[in-house]
Amino acid sequence: MSIPPLVEPADELSIDEVRRYSRHLIIPDVGMAGQKRLKNAKVLVIGAGGLGSPALLYLAAAGVGTLGIAEFDEVDESNLQRQVIHGVSDIGKSKALSAKESIAEINPYVEVVLHEERLDNDNVLRIFEGYDLIVDGTDNFATRYMVNDAAYFLKIPYVWGSIYRFDGQASVFAPTLVEDAPCYRCLYPEPPPPGMVPSCAEGGVLGVLCASIGSIQVNEAIKLLAGIGEPLVGKLMIYDALEMSYRKLKVRKDPNCALCGENPTVTELIDYESFCGAVSEEAADAAAGATISVTQLEHMLKEREGGSRDFVLIDVREPNEFEINKIPGSVLIPKGEFLNGNAISRLTELTADGAKQVVLHCKSGVRSAECLAIAKGAGYADAVHVGGGVVAWVNQIDPSQPSY
């Protein structure tokens, strides 16, 4: 379905702007009117990371007049594999500021507005206010649901994208703009169970996949702003980089949707962290009173080395993660082995029928908490896990190891 343009055209383009955007101007569907709309548009990009990087660069190059950047993080070396808006000289710098400087090199006619704060219930409506369109590059479910709800309450359409390893998805959600159009909750009424879907930091992502999905998001943004083509409203684009395949699925409005349905139950911003849950209730209960710090673990390892203490240290990450860095003396049993039950027999062998204490760790503490619940359920009542995982170990105990 075609949608009327989101913004009115600007009064004029300067001679320099005409030269700059000439390849747009000679496309009949865009032309002078479409380029003036882009100039007059205000677009907020959430995140200057994997998806935000290509989105910001191409929105700026396309001539979007005002770009907002909602980003609170700093550039890290591990970002450079995919976040192409940043460079080596930007490491340690604010991502928002780094992105602004790159945009200035691409297009000095773009006004950049920085929102250097973490989006939450207290600021999201204020930050979104006044923008014509939102491009969502977030990487966690709690923020995605919050973005969806806030955009709905403010009647702002938004372009959504998601990436993981070799797979990407993209869609446009505009339930207040198009009759019978679905929202994100229509597609995903409930978040996945805690720990079921790893983040990119835990599961990884092919760097170039960010460009593939980010460019789709910009393509949809331009169509919406200029009022051309048929945007991905009511459609889900699925991309498999390994198979080099695209699929487009229809997404229907859910009459029972908690937000945009006939009898909505979500009428204001909610507690999204609780709604999504970083860990399951079982994992949270298991970790309560059974979480140790990396400094405690270091002391325990010294005691084990001296013979005054005995325990088995289990790393529940994946083998490829184990190759990057590790806590000395740990044994690898991936989380999947706990989920299918095979890990318990391994624990029985390693602990001499339960005589040794079990200590679990992962990258950050989320997966190990889930495995802790399984271990305790199998009878290892004194098992503990390491809060912060390998990340905390490298940062606080052994900075000579690489982080990821």
Side-chain angles (χ1 to χ4, degrees):
M1 67 184 76
S2 59
I3 297 176
L6 293 182
V7 295
E8 294 298 318
D11 291 337
E12 62 179 2
L13 298 179
S14 68
I15 294 177
D16 288 340
E17 287 174 319
V18 170
R19 284 196 293 260
R20 175 179 289 271
Y21 307 127
S22 61
R23 297 305 185 272
H24 275 177
L25 299 179
I26 59 178
I27 301 175
D29 289 344
V30 180
M32 188 67 73
Q35 193 63 50
K36 286 180 178 179
R37 294 185 196 279
L38 295 180
K39 178 179 180 178
N40 210 27
K42 297 180 179 179
V43 177
L44 174 67
V45 177
I46 305 174
L51 290 175
S53 288
L56 285 165
L57 289 174
Y58 273 104
L59 286 168
V64 172
T66 301
L67 282 177
I69 305 175
E71 176 62 78
F72 63 91
D73 205 358
E74 294 181 348
V75 180
D76 181 79
E77 187 175 13
S78 66
N79 301 150
L80 303 184
Q81 164 257 7
R82 64 202 177 281
Q83 299 179 17
V84 293
I85 203 168
H86 313 297
V88 173
S89 62
D90 298 314
I91 293 176
K93 183 186 296 184
S94 154
K95 281 188 180 180
L97 180 58
S98 170
K100 180 178 181 179
E101 292 172 349
S102 295
I103 289 171
E105 287 293 313
I106 294 290
N107 191 344
Y109 297 105
V110 176
E111 178 185 356
V112 179
V113 181
L114 302 186
H115 305 278
E116 295 187 82
E117 50 189 315
R118 184 190 295 268
L119 284 180
D120 57 32
N121 286 20
D122 295 329
N123 63 24
V124 64
L125 295 176
R126 167 177 56 81
I127 291 175
F128 283 14
E129 192 78 53
Y131 285 99
D132 302 305
L133 181 68
I134 294 167
V135 175
D136 182 13
T138 56
D139 62 356
N140 66 86
F141 289 99
T143 307
R144 287 172 185 165
Y145 280 99
M146 179 178 64
V147 168
N148 178 75
D149 295 357
Y152 179 81
F153 294 141
L154 292 173
K155 296 181 171 55
I156 304 173
Y158 77 100
V159 184
W160 169 76
S162 175
I163 50 175
Y164 177 67
R165 292 185 174 171
F166 298 97
D167 301 319
Q169 300 180 359
S171 188
V172 173
F173 299 111
T176 59
L177 185 66
V178 179
E179 186 177 1
D180 293 330
C183 75
Y184 180 76
R185 286 180 180 270
C186 296
L187 177 62
Y188 296 115
E190 298 287 340
M196 181 64 68
V197 180
S199 66
C200 289
E202 292 180 336
V205 61
L206 184 70
V208 72
L209 178 68
C210 302
S212 300
I213 301 302
S215 64
I216 290 175
Q217 290 182 281
V218 175
N219 187 68
E220 294 306 299
I222 291 174
K223 287 155 60 179
L224 289 164
L225 296 170
I228 59 176
E230 294 191 8
L232 287 173
V233 175
K235 302 166 190 172
L236 175 66
M237 179 69 75
I238 301 175
Y239 173 56
D240 183 332
L242 282 182
E243 297 294 331
M244 189 47 68
S245 65
Y246 287 90
R247 289 187 297 152
K248 192 161 60 175
L249 306 179
K250 287 185 177 180
V251 181
R252 300 188 184 279
K253 184 181 183 70
D254 182 2
N256 298 315
C257 177
L259 181 72
C260 68
E262 296 172 359
N263 299 293
T265 56
V266 176
T267 57
E268 60 184 5
L269 300 178
I270 64 173
D271 185 340
Y272 295 96
E273 294 294 338
S274 297
F275 176 64
C276 294
V279 296
S280 66
E281 290 185 14
E282 294 80 4
D285 291 341
T291 302
I292 64 172
S293 67
V294 289
T295 53
Q296 288 176 292
L297 176 60
E298 181 186 32
H299 182 68
M300 291 170 62
L301 288 169
K302 290 178 180 178
E303 288 183 329
R304 187 174 74 172
E305 186 178 344
S308 62
R309 186 166 192 162
D310 200 8
F311 63 92
V312 57
L313 178 61
I314 306 297
D315 188 332
V316 304
R317 297 177 299 161
E318 296 301 308
N320 53 315
E321 294 178 90
F322 193 72
E323 292 179 0
I324 297 174
N325 57 23
K326 59 179 68 71
I327 298 177
S330 57
V331 177
L332 179 66
I333 306 180
K335 178 185 172 183
E337 297 292 298
F338 283 84
L339 295 178
N340 64 27
N342 293 336
I344 303 306
S345 59
R346 291 282 311 278
L347 289 182
T348 301
E349 297 172 2
L350 292 168
T351 60
D353 296 325
K356 297 178 184 178
Q357 183 184 22
V358 172
V359 179
L360 303 165
H361 78 83
C362 62
K363 180 180 180 180
S364 64
V366 175
R367 284 175 283 178
S368 58
E370 300 288 344
C371 295
L372 179 65
I374 297 173
K376 284 182 174 290
Y380 294 90
D382 62 346
V384 297
H385 87 123
V386 182
V390 172
V391 171
W393 180 268
V394 172
N395 288 339
Q396 300 178 38
I397 308 298
D398 185 9
S400 66
Q401 294 199 60
S403 59
Y404 68 100

